[in-house]
Amino acid sequence: MNYHKRKFRAVINTVNCEISSETVFEYIQEGSVLSAQYQGGQVVKGHISGLVDDQGYIEMHYHQVNQKGEVSKGMCYSRPEILSNGKIRLHEAWKSASGDISEGSSILDEI
């Protein structure tokens, strides 16, 4: 699975998540190396770096700055699902490594 130049938007999040449907992720993939920039909603600017395995699963780390001027970081695991329209849905489980050290989940759909 290749995520190069694909864009995603959150459709479902746990309450403790700063990303929202206003947050857009733009992925770049070179081989198994994945990176992304994202922004929108409460997130002023965010970056992702990670790896994609043969089944399209992603292991990544993120860091972002929110509207309050706070920096947060953490790790995330994403499981892809191919939707009936051919687009990708990502089922994410994340854990913050800053602030309240919370955990949560998100679902992102390709736009």
Side-chain angles (χ1 to χ4, degrees):
M1 183 166 307
N2 194 303
Y3 297 98
H4 191 63
K5 294 192 177 184
R6 295 183 189 257
K7 293 182 181 183
F8 293 84
R9 182 182 308 271
V11 293
I12 299 173
N13 294 303
T14 50
V15 178
N16 57 336
C17 187
E18 288 188 324
I19 68 168
S20 68
S21 62
E22 298 173 317
T23 312
V24 175
F25 296 77
E26 298 183 35
Y27 285 73
I28 300 293
Q29 185 175 342
E30 297 172 351
S32 62
V33 177
L34 181 78
S35 62
Q37 293 190 35
Y38 59 100
Q39 63 185 26
Q42 293 182 48
V43 179
V44 175
K45 186 63 104 174
H47 295 92
I48 291 171
S49 295
L51 295 171
V52 179
D53 73 12
D54 293 339
Q55 288 79 40
Y57 286 72
I58 305 168
E59 179 179 346
M60 65 180 117
H61 290 258
Y62 67 87
H63 59 274
Q64 63 191 34
V65 176
N66 66 18
Q67 294 284 351
K68 298 176 189 174
E70 301 166 330
V71 177
S72 59
K73 61 183 178 179
M75 55 191 314
C76 180
Y77 296 94
S78 295
R79 176 182 56 85
E81 172 190 0
I82 304 299
L83 301 175
S84 60
N85 64 4
K87 302 243 182 193
I88 300 170
R89 171 172 284 170
L90 296 174
H91 298 266
E92 302 192 326
W94 52 266
K95 182 175 183 177
S96 175
S98 58
D100 63 2
I101 315 295
S102 63
E103 297 181 31
S105 62
S106 302
I107 295 179
L108 278 60
D109 280 355
E110 183 179 358
I111 53 176

PDB file of all heavy atoms in Angstrom, residues 27-63:
ATOM      1  N   TYR A  27       0.192  13.129   3.214  1.00  0.00           N
ATOM      2  CA  TYR A  27       1.226  12.108   3.350  1.00  0.00           C
ATOM      3  C   TYR A  27       2.199  12.108   2.181  1.00  0.00           C
ATOM      4  O   TYR A  27       1.808  12.331   1.032  1.00  0.00           O
ATOM      5  CB  TYR A  27       0.582  10.724   3.438  1.00  0.00           C
ATOM      6  CG  TYR A  27      -0.062  10.440   4.767  1.00  0.00           C
ATOM      7  CD1 TYR A  27      -1.249  11.048   5.135  1.00  0.00           C
ATOM      8  CD2 TYR A  27       0.512   9.549   5.656  1.00  0.00           C
ATOM      9  CE1 TYR A  27      -1.850  10.787   6.360  1.00  0.00           C
ATOM     10  CE2 TYR A  27      -0.082   9.271   6.876  1.00  0.00           C
ATOM     11  CZ  TYR A  27      -1.258   9.897   7.219  1.00  0.00           C
ATOM     12  OH  TYR A  27      -1.838   9.633   8.424  1.00  0.00           O
ATOM     13  N   ILE A  28       3.442  11.802   2.504  1.00  0.00           N
ATOM     14  CA  ILE A  28       4.500  11.574   1.515  1.00  0.00           C
ATOM     15  C   ILE A  28       5.145  10.245   1.881  1.00  0.00           C
ATOM     16  O   ILE A  28       5.459  10.004   3.048  1.00  0.00           O
ATOM     17  CB  ILE A  28       5.575  12.703   1.552  1.00  0.00           C
ATOM     18  CG1 ILE A  28       4.944  14.064   1.251  1.00  0.00           C
ATOM     19  CG2 ILE A  28       6.733  12.391   0.615  1.00  0.00           C
ATOM     20  CD1 ILE A  28       4.422  14.224  -0.156  1.00  0.00           C
ATOM     21  N   GLN A  29       5.334   9.364   0.889  1.00  0.00           N
ATOM     22  CA  GLN A  29       5.960   8.074   1.160  1.00  0.00           C
ATOM     23  C   GLN A  29       7.073   7.821   0.171  1.00  0.00           C
ATOM     24  O   GLN A  29       6.883   7.975  -1.036  1.00  0.00           O
ATOM     25  CB  GLN A  29       4.924   6.945   1.088  1.00  0.00           C
ATOM     26  CG  GLN A  29       5.506   5.604   1.477  1.00  0.00           C
ATOM     27  CD  GLN A  29       4.460   4.512   1.530  1.00  0.00           C
ATOM     28  OE1 GLN A  29       3.263   4.777   1.605  1.00  0.00           O
ATOM     29  NE2 GLN A  29       4.917   3.272   1.491  1.00  0.00           N
ATOM     30  N   GLU A  30       8.227   7.425   0.684  1.00  0.00           N
ATOM     31  CA  GLU A  30       9.383   7.033  -0.132  1.00  0.00           C
ATOM     32  C   GLU A  30       9.821   5.665   0.361  1.00  0.00           C
ATOM     33  O   GLU A  30      10.380   5.545   1.446  1.00  0.00           O
ATOM     34  CB  GLU A  30      10.501   8.054   0.006  1.00  0.00           C
ATOM     35  CG  GLU A  30      10.114   9.433  -0.495  1.00  0.00           C
ATOM     36  CD  GLU A  30      11.148  10.502  -0.193  1.00  0.00           C
ATOM     37  OE1 GLU A  30      12.104  10.231   0.559  1.00  0.00           O
ATOM     38  OE2 GLU A  30      10.990  11.620  -0.710  1.00  0.00           O
ATOM     39  N   GLY A  31       9.528   4.617  -0.419  1.00  0.00           N
ATOM     40  CA  GLY A  31       9.787   3.256   0.037  1.00  0.00           C
ATOM     41  C   GLY A  31       8.888   2.974   1.231  1.00  0.00           C
ATOM     42  O   GLY A  31       7.685   3.189   1.176  1.00  0.00           O
ATOM     43  N   SER A  32       9.491   2.537   2.331  1.00  0.00           N
ATOM     44  CA  SER A  32       8.698   2.261   3.534  1.00  0.00           C
ATOM     45  C   SER A  32       8.658   3.453   4.494  1.00  0.00           C
ATOM     46  O   SER A  32       8.015   3.396   5.535  1.00  0.00           O
ATOM     47  CB  SER A  32       9.256   1.037   4.260  1.00  0.00           C
ATOM     48  OG  SER A  32      10.586   1.289   4.693  1.00  0.00           O
ATOM     49  N   VAL A  33       9.333   4.544   4.129  1.00  0.00           N
ATOM     50  CA  VAL A  33       9.402   5.723   5.002  1.00  0.00           C
ATOM     51  C   VAL A  33       8.232   6.658   4.696  1.00  0.00           C
ATOM     52  O   VAL A  33       8.015   7.049   3.552  1.00  0.00           O
ATOM     53  CB  VAL A  33      10.742   6.468   4.837  1.00  0.00           C
ATOM     54  CG1 VAL A  33      10.775   7.720   5.692  1.00  0.00           C
ATOM     55  CG2 VAL A  33      11.905   5.547   5.177  1.00  0.00           C
ATOM     56  N   LEU A  34       7.495   6.999   5.759  1.00  0.00           N
ATOM     57  CA  LEU A  34       6.318   7.850   5.629  1.00  0.00           C
ATOM     58  C   LEU A  34       6.523   9.137   6.413  1.00  0.00           C
ATOM     59  O   LEU A  34       7.055   9.121   7.522  1.00  0.00           O
ATOM     60  CB  LEU A  34       5.086   7.119   6.186  1.00  0.00           C
ATOM     61  CG  LEU A  34       3.767   7.869   6.093  1.00  0.00           C
ATOM     62  CD1 LEU A  34       3.238   7.775   4.672  1.00  0.00           C
ATOM     63  CD2 LEU A  34       2.762   7.283   7.064  1.00  0.00           C
ATOM     64  N   SER A  35       6.097  10.239   5.839  1.00  0.00           N
ATOM     65  CA  SER A  35       6.074  11.510   6.565  1.00  0.00           C
ATOM     66  C   SER A  35       4.781  12.221   6.193  1.00  0.00           C
ATOM     67  O   SER A  35       4.132  11.894   5.210  1.00  0.00           O
ATOM     68  CB  SER A  35       7.285  12.379   6.220  1.00  0.00           C
ATOM     69  OG  SER A  35       7.287  12.722   4.856  1.00  0.00           O
ATOM     70  N   ALA A  36       4.398  13.159   7.031  1.00  0.00           N
ATOM     71  CA  ALA A  36       3.187  13.928   6.751  1.00  0.00           C
ATOM     72  C   ALA A  36       3.256  15.254   7.477  1.00  0.00           C
ATOM     73  O   ALA A  36       3.923  15.386   8.505  1.00  0.00           O
ATOM     74  CB  ALA A  36       1.943  13.165   7.188  1.00  0.00           C
ATOM     75  N   GLN A  37       2.562  16.218   6.918  1.00  0.00           N
ATOM     76  CA  GLN A  37       2.302  17.478   7.587  1.00  0.00           C
ATOM     77  C   GLN A  37       0.795  17.571   7.761  1.00  0.00           C
ATOM     78  O   GLN A  37       0.036  17.061   6.931  1.00  0.00           O
ATOM     79  CB  GLN A  37       2.803  18.647   6.754  1.00  0.00           C
ATOM     80  CG  GLN A  37       4.302  18.691   6.634  1.00  0.00           C
ATOM     81  CD  GLN A  37       4.768  19.996   6.002  1.00  0.00           C
ATOM     82  OE1 GLN A  37       4.194  21.049   6.220  1.00  0.00           O
ATOM     83  NE2 GLN A  37       5.800  19.902   5.204  1.00  0.00           N
ATOM     84  N   TYR A  38       0.366  18.202   8.840  1.00  0.00           N
ATOM     85  CA  TYR A  38      -1.064  18.362   9.057  1.00  0.00           C
ATOM     86  C   TYR A  38      -1.343  19.642   9.819  1.00  0.00           C
ATOM     87  O   TYR A  38      -0.491  20.167  10.531  1.00  0.00           O
ATOM     88  CB  TYR A  38      -1.670  17.149   9.763  1.00  0.00           C
ATOM     89  CG  TYR A  38      -1.102  16.806  11.117  1.00  0.00           C
ATOM     90  CD1 TYR A  38      -1.751  17.180  12.290  1.00  0.00           C
ATOM     91  CD2 TYR A  38       0.066  16.081  11.233  1.00  0.00           C
ATOM     92  CE1 TYR A  38      -1.249  16.831  13.537  1.00  0.00           C
ATOM     93  CE2 TYR A  38       0.580  15.723  12.472  1.00  0.00           C
ATOM     94  CZ  TYR A  38      -0.083  16.106  13.623  1.00  0.00           C
ATOM     95  OH  TYR A  38       0.417  15.765  14.849  1.00  0.00           O
ATOM     96  N   GLN A  39      -2.543  20.161   9.613  1.00  0.00           N
ATOM     97  CA  GLN A  39      -2.988  21.378  10.292  1.00  0.00           C
ATOM     98  C   GLN A  39      -4.481  21.527  10.137  1.00  0.00           C
ATOM     99  O   GLN A  39      -5.097  20.867   9.311  1.00  0.00           O
ATOM    100  CB  GLN A  39      -2.264  22.602   9.757  1.00  0.00           C
ATOM    101  CG  GLN A  39      -2.518  22.894   8.300  1.00  0.00           C
ATOM    102  CD  GLN A  39      -1.652  24.051   7.817  1.00  0.00           C
ATOM    103  OE1 GLN A  39      -0.595  24.329   8.341  1.00  0.00           O
ATOM    104  NE2 GLN A  39      -2.125  24.725   6.793  1.00  0.00           N
ATOM    105  N   GLY A  40      -5.042  22.390  10.954  1.00  0.00           N
ATOM    106  CA  GLY A  40      -6.466  22.670  10.909  1.00  0.00           C
ATOM    107  C   GLY A  40      -7.128  22.422  12.241  1.00  0.00           C
ATOM    108  O   GLY A  40      -6.665  21.616  13.037  1.00  0.00           O
ATOM    109  N   GLY A  41      -8.196  23.168  12.517  1.00  0.00           N
ATOM    110  CA  GLY A  41      -8.871  23.051  13.805  1.00  0.00           C
ATOM    111  C   GLY A  41      -7.963  23.549  14.912  1.00  0.00           C
ATOM    112  O   GLY A  41      -7.377  24.629  14.803  1.00  0.00           O
ATOM    113  N   GLN A  42      -7.809  22.766  15.960  1.00  0.00           N
ATOM    114  CA  GLN A  42      -6.957  23.149  17.086  1.00  0.00           C
ATOM    115  C   GLN A  42      -5.473  23.030  16.778  1.00  0.00           C
ATOM    116  O   GLN A  42      -4.639  23.562  17.514  1.00  0.00           O
ATOM    117  CB  GLN A  42      -7.280  22.279  18.306  1.00  0.00           C
ATOM    118  CG  GLN A  42      -8.646  22.496  18.883  1.00  0.00           C
ATOM    119  CD  GLN A  42      -8.838  21.631  20.110  1.00  0.00           C
ATOM    120  OE1 GLN A  42      -8.003  21.585  20.998  1.00  0.00           O
ATOM    121  NE2 GLN A  42      -9.966  20.929  20.151  1.00  0.00           N
ATOM    122  N   VAL A  43      -5.113  22.333  15.691  1.00  0.00           N
ATOM    123  CA  VAL A  43      -3.708  22.099  15.364  1.00  0.00           C
ATOM    124  C   VAL A  43      -3.209  23.178  14.401  1.00  0.00           C
ATOM    125  O   VAL A  43      -3.694  23.293  13.274  1.00  0.00           O
ATOM    126  CB  VAL A  43      -3.499  20.700  14.748  1.00  0.00           C
ATOM    127  CG1 VAL A  43      -2.040  20.485  14.380  1.00  0.00           C
ATOM    128  CG2 VAL A  43      -3.985  19.618  15.697  1.00  0.00           C
ATOM    129  N   VAL A  44      -2.230  23.950  14.851  1.00  0.00           N
ATOM    130  CA  VAL A  44      -1.616  24.972  14.007  1.00  0.00           C
ATOM    131  C   VAL A  44      -0.681  24.318  13.002  1.00  0.00           C
ATOM    132  O   VAL A  44      -0.698  24.630  11.814  1.00  0.00           O
ATOM    133  CB  VAL A  44      -0.844  26.009  14.862  1.00  0.00           C
ATOM    134  CG1 VAL A  44      -0.104  27.000  13.979  1.00  0.00           C
ATOM    135  CG2 VAL A  44      -1.788  26.719  15.802  1.00  0.00           C
ATOM    136  N   LYS A  45       0.145  23.380  13.473  1.00  0.00           N
ATOM    137  CA  LYS A  45       1.074  22.674  12.599  1.00  0.00           C
ATOM    138  C   LYS A  45       1.475  21.373  13.252  1.00  0.00           C
ATOM    139  O   LYS A  45       1.768  21.342  14.443  1.00  0.00           O
ATOM    140  CB  LYS A  45       2.307  23.536  12.356  1.00  0.00           C
ATOM    141  CG  LYS A  45       3.294  22.965  11.342  1.00  0.00           C
ATOM    142  CD  LYS A  45       2.707  22.834   9.963  1.00  0.00           C
ATOM    143  CE  LYS A  45       3.203  23.899   9.045  1.00  0.00           C
ATOM    144  NZ  LYS A  45       2.774  23.715   7.673  1.00  0.00           N
ATOM    145  N   GLY A  46       1.484  20.296  12.490  1.00  0.00           N
ATOM    146  CA  GLY A  46       1.911  18.997  12.982  1.00  0.00           C
ATOM    147  C   GLY A  46       2.737  18.266  11.946  1.00  0.00           C
ATOM    148  O   GLY A  46       2.619  18.526  10.745  1.00  0.00           O
ATOM    149  N   HIS A  47       3.587  17.355  12.425  1.00  0.00           N
ATOM    150  CA  HIS A  47       4.435  16.541  11.551  1.00  0.00           C
ATOM    151  C   HIS A  47       4.411  15.095  12.027  1.00  0.00           C
ATOM    152  O   HIS A  47       4.331  14.832  13.229  1.00  0.00           O
ATOM    153  CB  HIS A  47       5.879  17.041  11.576  1.00  0.00           C
ATOM    154  CG  HIS A  47       6.035  18.408  11.024  1.00  0.00           C
ATOM    155  ND1 HIS A  47       5.979  19.530  11.812  1.00  0.00           N
ATOM    156  CD2 HIS A  47       6.211  18.841   9.759  1.00  0.00           C
ATOM    157  CE1 HIS A  47       6.132  20.601  11.054  1.00  0.00           C
ATOM    158  NE2 HIS A  47       6.268  20.210   9.805  1.00  0.00           N
ATOM    159  N   ILE A  48       4.523  14.178  11.075  1.00  0.00           N
ATOM    160  CA  ILE A  48       4.568  12.742  11.338  1.00  0.00           C
ATOM    161  C   ILE A  48       5.788  12.170  10.637  1.00  0.00           C
ATOM    162  O   ILE A  48       6.100  12.557   9.511  1.00  0.00           O
ATOM    163  CB  ILE A  48       3.303  12.047  10.782  1.00  0.00           C
ATOM    164  CG1 ILE A  48       2.078  12.449  11.580  1.00  0.00           C
ATOM    165  CG2 ILE A  48       3.480  10.532  10.755  1.00  0.00           C
ATOM    166  CD1 ILE A  48       0.771  11.984  10.963  1.00  0.00           C
ATOM    167  N   SER A  49       6.461  11.219  11.304  1.00  0.00           N
ATOM    168  CA  SER A  49       7.513  10.416  10.692  1.00  0.00           C
ATOM    169  C   SER A  49       7.267   8.979  11.093  1.00  0.00           C
ATOM    170  O   SER A  49       6.978   8.699  12.259  1.00  0.00           O
ATOM    171  CB  SER A  49       8.899  10.835  11.190  1.00  0.00           C
ATOM    172  OG  SER A  49       9.194  12.137  10.790  1.00  0.00           O
ATOM    173  N   GLY A  50       7.368   8.059  10.131  1.00  0.00           N
ATOM    174  CA  GLY A  50       7.126   6.669  10.481  1.00  0.00           C
ATOM    175  C   GLY A  50       7.487   5.714   9.366  1.00  0.00           C
ATOM    176  O   GLY A  50       8.100   6.080   8.369  1.00  0.00           O
ATOM    177  N   LEU A  51       7.062   4.458   9.589  1.00  0.00           N
ATOM    178  CA  LEU A  51       7.335   3.381   8.647  1.00  0.00           C
ATOM    179  C   LEU A  51       6.045   2.664   8.288  1.00  0.00           C
ATOM    180  O   LEU A  51       5.154   2.502   9.125  1.00  0.00           O
ATOM    181  CB  LEU A  51       8.308   2.374   9.261  1.00  0.00           C
ATOM    182  CG  LEU A  51       9.707   2.894   9.552  1.00  0.00           C
ATOM    183  CD1 LEU A  51      10.494   1.859  10.353  1.00  0.00           C
ATOM    184  CD2 LEU A  51      10.436   3.223   8.249  1.00  0.00           C
ATOM    185  N   VAL A  52       5.974   2.199   7.033  1.00  0.00           N
ATOM    186  CA  VAL A  52       4.840   1.434   6.532  1.00  0.00           C
ATOM    187  C   VAL A  52       5.315   0.005   6.275  1.00  0.00           C
ATOM    188  O   VAL A  52       6.349  -0.191   5.638  1.00  0.00           O
ATOM    189  CB  VAL A  52       4.308   2.038   5.207  1.00  0.00           C
ATOM    190  CG1 VAL A  52       3.152   1.233   4.666  1.00  0.00           C
ATOM    191  CG2 VAL A  52       3.938   3.490   5.389  1.00  0.00           C
ATOM    192  N   ASP A  53       4.549  -0.996   6.773  1.00  0.00           N
ATOM    193  CA  ASP A  53       4.946  -2.384   6.511  1.00  0.00           C
ATOM    194  C   ASP A  53       4.281  -2.899   5.230  1.00  0.00           C
ATOM    195  O   ASP A  53       3.562  -2.157   4.543  1.00  0.00           O
ATOM    196  CB  ASP A  53       4.679  -3.288   7.724  1.00  0.00           C
ATOM    197  CG  ASP A  53       3.208  -3.594   7.975  1.00  0.00           C
ATOM    198  OD1 ASP A  53       2.351  -3.314   7.110  1.00  0.00           O
ATOM    199  OD2 ASP A  53       2.923  -4.140   9.064  1.00  0.00           O
ATOM    200  N   ASP A  54       4.494  -4.174   4.905  1.00  0.00           N
ATOM    201  CA  ASP A  54       3.997  -4.758   3.654  1.00  0.00           C
ATOM    202  C   ASP A  54       2.473  -4.789   3.551  1.00  0.00           C
ATOM    203  O   ASP A  54       1.927  -4.827   2.454  1.00  0.00           O
ATOM    204  CB  ASP A  54       4.535  -6.178   3.480  1.00  0.00           C
ATOM    205  CG  ASP A  54       6.038  -6.204   3.257  1.00  0.00           C
ATOM    206  OD1 ASP A  54       6.597  -5.165   2.845  1.00  0.00           O
ATOM    207  OD2 ASP A  54       6.647  -7.256   3.496  1.00  0.00           O
ATOM    208  N   GLN A  55       1.770  -4.781   4.692  1.00  0.00           N
ATOM    209  CA  GLN A  55       0.309  -4.787   4.680  1.00  0.00           C
ATOM    210  C   GLN A  55      -0.282  -3.380   4.761  1.00  0.00           C
ATOM    211  O   GLN A  55      -1.492  -3.216   4.821  1.00  0.00           O
ATOM    212  CB  GLN A  55      -0.240  -5.617   5.850  1.00  0.00           C
ATOM    213  CG  GLN A  55      -0.051  -7.117   5.687  1.00  0.00           C
ATOM    214  CD  GLN A  55       1.366  -7.543   6.019  1.00  0.00           C
ATOM    215  OE1 GLN A  55       1.964  -7.050   6.968  1.00  0.00           O
ATOM    216  NE2 GLN A  55       1.905  -8.453   5.226  1.00  0.00           N
ATOM    217  N   GLY A  56       0.573  -2.363   4.799  1.00  0.00           N
ATOM    218  CA  GLY A  56       0.104  -0.984   4.853  1.00  0.00           C
ATOM    219  C   GLY A  56      -0.081  -0.442   6.256  1.00  0.00           C
ATOM    220  O   GLY A  56      -0.537   0.686   6.429  1.00  0.00           O
ATOM    221  N   TYR A  57       0.267  -1.239   7.284  1.00  0.00           N
ATOM    222  CA  TYR A  57       0.183  -0.756   8.661  1.00  0.00           C
ATOM    223  C   TYR A  57       1.275   0.281   8.884  1.00  0.00           C
ATOM    224  O   TYR A  57       2.384   0.155   8.365  1.00  0.00           O
ATOM    225  CB  TYR A  57       0.365  -1.906   9.661  1.00  0.00           C
ATOM    226  CG  TYR A  57      -0.821  -2.814   9.752  1.00  0.00           C
ATOM    227  CD1 TYR A  57      -1.134  -3.703   8.727  1.00  0.00           C
ATOM    228  CD2 TYR A  57      -1.643  -2.799  10.868  1.00  0.00           C
ATOM    229  CE1 TYR A  57      -2.235  -4.543   8.808  1.00  0.00           C
ATOM    230  CE2 TYR A  57      -2.746  -3.642  10.975  1.00  0.00           C
ATOM    231  CZ  TYR A  57      -3.027  -4.502   9.930  1.00  0.00           C
ATOM    232  OH  TYR A  57      -4.117  -5.334  10.018  1.00  0.00           O
ATOM    233  N   ILE A  58       0.954   1.306   9.657  1.00  0.00           N
ATOM    234  CA  ILE A  58       1.883   2.409   9.887  1.00  0.00           C
ATOM    235  C   ILE A  58       2.251   2.481  11.369  1.00  0.00           C
ATOM    236  O   ILE A  58       1.381   2.427  12.232  1.00  0.00           O
ATOM    237  CB  ILE A  58       1.265   3.759   9.486  1.00  0.00           C
ATOM    238  CG1 ILE A  58       0.772   3.723   8.039  1.00  0.00           C
ATOM    239  CG2 ILE A  58       2.263   4.896   9.704  1.00  0.00           C
ATOM    240  CD1 ILE A  58      -0.113   4.906   7.661  1.00  0.00           C
ATOM    241  N   GLU A  59       3.545   2.589  11.640  1.00  0.00           N
ATOM    242  CA  GLU A  59       4.042   2.896  12.982  1.00  0.00           C
ATOM    243  C   GLU A  59       4.697   4.259  12.876  1.00  0.00           C
ATOM    244  O   GLU A  59       5.612   4.450  12.070  1.00  0.00           O
ATOM    245  CB  GLU A  59       5.054   1.860  13.443  1.00  0.00           C
ATOM    246  CG  GLU A  59       5.617   2.154  14.816  1.00  0.00           C
ATOM    247  CD  GLU A  59       6.619   1.107  15.274  1.00  0.00           C
ATOM    248  OE1 GLU A  59       6.700   0.030  14.673  1.00  0.00           O
ATOM    249  OE2 GLU A  59       7.341   1.409  16.248  1.00  0.00           O
ATOM    250  N   MET A  60       4.199   5.234  13.660  1.00  0.00           N
ATOM    251  CA  MET A  60       4.699   6.601  13.484  1.00  0.00           C
ATOM    252  C   MET A  60       4.806   7.347  14.808  1.00  0.00           C
ATOM    253  O   MET A  60       4.218   6.957  15.816  1.00  0.00           O
ATOM    254  CB  MET A  60       3.784   7.368  12.547  1.00  0.00           C
ATOM    255  CG  MET A  60       2.379   7.585  13.087  1.00  0.00           C
ATOM    256  SD  MET A  60       1.352   8.501  11.937  1.00  0.00           S
ATOM    257  CE  MET A  60       0.104   7.290  11.570  1.00  0.00           C
ATOM    258  N   HIS A  61       5.552   8.425  14.748  1.00  0.00           N
ATOM    259  CA  HIS A  61       5.651   9.378  15.850  1.00  0.00           C
ATOM    260  C   HIS A  61       5.155  10.718  15.323  1.00  0.00           C
ATOM    261  O   HIS A  61       5.334  11.041  14.151  1.00  0.00           O
ATOM    262  CB  HIS A  61       7.098   9.505  16.334  1.00  0.00           C
ATOM    263  CG  HIS A  61       7.560   8.282  17.044  1.00  0.00           C
ATOM    264  ND1 HIS A  61       7.644   8.203  18.402  1.00  0.00           N
ATOM    265  CD2 HIS A  61       7.944   7.071  16.587  1.00  0.00           C
ATOM    266  CE1 HIS A  61       8.067   7.015  18.759  1.00  0.00           C
ATOM    267  NE2 HIS A  61       8.256   6.298  17.666  1.00  0.00           N
ATOM    268  N   TYR A  62       4.533  11.481  16.204  1.00  0.00           N
ATOM    269  CA  TYR A  62       4.009  12.780  15.795  1.00  0.00           C
ATOM    270  C   TYR A  62       4.443  13.853  16.790  1.00  0.00           C
ATOM    271  O   TYR A  62       4.754  13.558  17.944  1.00  0.00           O
ATOM    272  CB  TYR A  62       2.479  12.753  15.693  1.00  0.00           C
ATOM    273  CG  TYR A  62       1.768  12.562  17.012  1.00  0.00           C
ATOM    274  CD1 TYR A  62       1.457  13.652  17.830  1.00  0.00           C
ATOM    275  CD2 TYR A  62       1.418  11.297  17.454  1.00  0.00           C
ATOM    276  CE1 TYR A  62       0.813  13.476  19.051  1.00  0.00           C
ATOM    277  CE2 TYR A  62       0.767  11.115  18.666  1.00  0.00           C
ATOM    278  CZ  TYR A  62       0.473  12.206  19.459  1.00  0.00           C
ATOM    279  OH  TYR A  62      -0.158  12.031  20.661  1.00  0.00           O
ATOM    280  N   HIS A  63       4.478  15.071  16.309  1.00  0.00           N
ATOM    281  CA  HIS A  63       4.611  16.241  17.183  1.00  0.00           C
ATOM    282  C   HIS A  63       3.810  17.366  16.539  1.00  0.00           C
ATOM    283  O   HIS A  63       3.692  17.450  15.321  1.00  0.00           O
ATOM    284  CB  HIS A  63       6.077  16.623  17.433  1.00  0.00           C
ATOM    285  CG  HIS A  63       6.851  16.949  16.203  1.00  0.00           C
ATOM    286  ND1 HIS A  63       7.466  16.002  15.449  1.00  0.00           N
ATOM    287  CD2 HIS A  63       7.099  18.128  15.601  1.00  0.00           C
ATOM    288  CE1 HIS A  63       8.080  16.573  14.426  1.00  0.00           C
ATOM    289  NE2 HIS A  63       7.872  17.865  14.485  1.00  0.00           N
TER     290      HIS A  63
END
